Amino acid sequence: MSGVAKRTGSRHVLVVLTLCIVWYIISSSNNVIGKMVLNEFPFPMTVTMVQLCSITLYSGPFFNLWKIRKYQDLPRGYYLRLIIPLAFGKFLASVTSHISLWKVPVSYAHTVKATMPLFTVILSRLLFKEKQSTMIYLSLIPIITGVGIATLTEISFDMMGLISALVSTMGFSLQNIFSKKVLKDTGIHHLRLLHLLGKLALVMFLPIWLYMDSFKVIQHPAITNLDYRVIALLFADGVLNWLQNIIAFSVLSLVTPLTYAVASASKRIFVIAVSLLILGNPVTWVNCFGMGLAIVGVLCYNRAKQITKEKPIIPTTTKSSINYAPLQNTVDPYYRGSISTNYKTTNGHNSNTTNSLLANGSGMPNGSTARLLFV
C-alpha cells in the first residue's frame, strides 16, 4: 500500500509541476503579447473586450466537454447584491490592468501588483473588521518598500500607469474577498463562476465599449488595412488569457492555498524576467532590487499567513472572522466534498452525504473551499 501511495504522491507532484510550468509559460506569453498588441493597437478597452469574449465563447463548450457541473439559478436579490457587483469589478479591474500594461513596462506593472496582500489586509479590516497578527503587518513592509524603490527608479514611469495598476490590484483583491463568499454561499464550481462573471461583465461592458472605443477602432489602420499581424495578436491574447485562468484554477484545485500563493509569486518573477528578456525595456540594478524585494515581501506575507493559521492569535474583537450562511435551496451537494447536506429518505431517516466529485485527496486542507479566482 505504501508503494501505491508513494507512486500516487509522485504522480500528483509531477502533475502540479507540469501545470505550473505551462502556467508560467502561458502567463508570460500573454503579458508579452498583450504589451505588443497595446504598443501597435493602443485600445486597452478593446483588448479587454476580446478577453471577455474569449471567456464567454470558449468556456461553455470546454466546460461541457469536461463535464464540469452547471450552476443552479441564484435568487434575484443575491444576484443584484453580489454577482452583478463582482462582474462589474471584473471588467473594471481588467480595463485598468490593460491601461497599466499600455502605459508602463510589464515588469513594473507586475511589481505594483505585488501590493495585493496590502490591499487584502486593508479591505478586510475596513469591510469585515478583521485584525491580523503583528507578523503579517511586518511582512507588508518589504512589499511597500520594494514597490516604492521600483517606482522611484523606474525609467519609463507614468503616473496613469501607476494609478491604473493600483486600481486594478485593489479590484482583484475585492473580487478575491467576495468571490470566496459566493463560493461558500452557493457551492458554485469556481470555473462556472468565472464563466458567469465573464458573461455578465461582457454584457455590462459592451455599451461602454461601443461608446468609447468602437468608432476609433474601426478607423484604425490595423483594421481598415486588415493588418493580420495585429488581428492575430489580439486573437492570441484572448486565447492565452482564457487558458491562463483555466490552468491557474486547475493548479489551485490541486494544492493548498499557501502552495498556490508561492506558485503565483514565483510566476510573477518568471513573467518579470521574461518580459525584461524579450521586450528589453531598460532597467537599473536598483530597480531590479526593488522588484525583488517586493516579491520577497509577498512570499513572507504568505508564510506569515500560514503561521498565523497554525497558531491562531487571541481575537481582539467580538467578531474577528467572516461568517457565511449558505443560501437555502441553492447549495450544490457535489461541491468539493466540503459541504455536507442532510437528505431525508423515503423511510423518514436522515442520511448525510458529502461530495465525491473532484475529490482526489489533494484538495484544500480541512475541507476549505476558499479560492483565489483572480490572478
Side-chain angles (χ1 to χ4, degrees), residues 242-282:
W242 175 71
L243 286 175
Q244 179 189 187
N245 281 279
I246 297 297
I247 296 175
F249 296 150
S250 299
V251 172
L252 188 57
S253 67
L254 294 172
V255 299
T256 64
L258 177 63
T259 302
Y260 177 80
V262 173
S264 182
S266 302
K267 183 211 71 172
R268 209 172 294 284
I269 297 174
F270 191 85
V271 170
I272 290 174
V274 170
S275 68
L276 291 175
L277 180 64
I278 296 179
L279 298 176
N281 57 286

Side-chain angles (χ1 to χ4, degrees), residues 118-148:
L118 173 64
F119 283 104
T120 300
V121 169
I122 294 175
L123 292 172
S124 297
R125 177 66 174 140
L126 293 176
L127 296 174
F128 306 114
K129 309 300 181 184
E130 284 189 346
K131 287 188 176 181
Q132 308 295 337
S133 67
T134 303
M135 187 182 299
I136 290 178
Y137 288 128
L138 290 176
S139 70
L140 299 176
I141 295 177
I143 298 177
I144 299 172
T145 305
V147 173

Side-chain angles (χ1 to χ4, degrees), residues 2 12 37 59 72 74 88 109 114 124 157 171 193 208 247 258 261 271 296 307 316 343 362-363 368 372:
S2 60
H12 173 72
V37 169
S59 295
Q72 300 175 352
L74 302 176
F88 177 82
S124 297
F157 176 77
L193 179 60
I208 299 174
I247 296 175
L258 177 63
V271 170
V296 169
I307 294 175
T316 55
Y343 296 96
S362 59
S368 171
L372 289 178

